[in-house]
Amino acid sequence: MSMLHLNLPSLVSGSSVKTGATSATTVTANSTTQQCYIHPVVLFSILDHFLRRNDSQDRVIGTLLGVRSDDGRVVEIRSCFAVPHFETEEEIQVDMEHHGAMFALHKRANTREQIVGWYATGNKLSKYAALIQDFYSREAAPFSAVHLVVDTDMSNGQLPIQCLHGSPIGIGAHPENCLFLPLPYELQYPDAELSALQVATDSAEAPDGVAVLVSDMEQLEKTIDELRAMLERVTTYVHSVCDGTTQPNNVVGKYLMDMLAVVPKIDSKQFSTLFQTHLQDILMVAYLTNLTRAQLNIADRLQRIV
């Protein structure tokens, strides 16, 4: 097993960090990350990793995967994976073989995702954070690595998150000379993850802790009701602006113009015809799917009899 050994430098000799037989060097990023967007699935994966940790471990670490903008200033953290490690008062050992194998598997499934940083659990930075940051800075080169700290204690019923990036300080390129600075972040909710979060929220509010999944028609009705409510809210705002009771907002007006620009210009009769045709196609596909499923079940039972 290939292990990365990171030792704290000696205060007397001022020696650099040892990575096996090769000394580590700090990588200077060409551009500093200025904004992070985090998917909720990342936080769930970190919590799951913490719950499955060994009894002797106080915290866990792992690798963050995502995509960057062309200039590297905006990072979208989409997924992560756990990295086994062993930590003592003198050194920390990171399983490099597991790290490389997991990243290779993720690259086969998501070719666009790259290593953007690392995560750790706890309510404060570890004394080895600067050394691990140096390693992930080389993995994420030429950009800076993002460090995500998740406080799993949840003392106030919340999940505190810190998003940080390292900045070298002092004279000389030593890995331990790193200052962590806060980084602005936002939670980004894709449609698929938002639906799952809504179901999880409903189960938390239910008396028995069980949420019933709605049918497709109920979900469609709910979506239409939400769309109607948004249209009514926008219509009320536009009327109030036209009447002079509300101060116009240029940003809102631009968004409304962009939204109307993508709406196709067709009359109601043509839209109704297109909608009915599309609905018939969907019903036909559903009928053929159910018919195929029934035939497969019959064939499976006949095969067992024979």
Side-chain angles (χ1 to χ4, degrees), residues 85-133:
H85 80 289
F86 178 73
E87 186 174 344
T88 64
E89 291 295 332
E90 292 79 18
E91 67 172 5
I92 180 173
Q93 302 177 9
V94 182
D95 191 344
M96 293 298 300
E97 183 177 352
H98 179 85
H99 167 78
M102 288 297 297
F103 180 59
L105 291 176
H106 274 271
K107 286 290 291 183
R108 294 175 60 181
N110 302 283
T111 56
R112 295 184 63 246
E113 292 187 1
Q114 302 290 336
I115 296 177
V116 296
W118 63 291
Y119 70 83
T121 58
N123 54 10
K124 61 180 180 180
L125 289 173
S126 170
K127 62 181 180 181
Y128 298 108
L131 304 181
I132 303 176
Q133 177 72 13

Side-chain angles (χ1 to χ4, degrees), residues 21 53 108-109 112 138 145 166 216 234 236 240 306:
R53 74 190 187 282
R108 294 175 60 181
R112 295 184 63 246
R138 287 182 276 118
D216 294 339
V234 171
T236 303
S240 62
V306 175

Side-chain angles (χ1 to χ4, degrees), residues 37-73:
Y37 295 95
I38 307 173
H39 286 215
V41 68
V42 176
L43 302 180
F44 281 103
S45 299
I46 295 174
L47 291 177
D48 180 73
H49 182 199
F50 180 77
L51 293 175
R52 297 174 183 270
R53 74 190 187 282
N54 297 329
D55 296 336
S56 58
Q57 285 185 311
D58 295 330
R59 70 187 187 111
V60 295
I61 65 173
T63 302
L64 297 175
L65 301 176
V67 295
R68 293 179 180 271
S69 59
D70 295 336
D71 57 0
R73 297 180 182 272

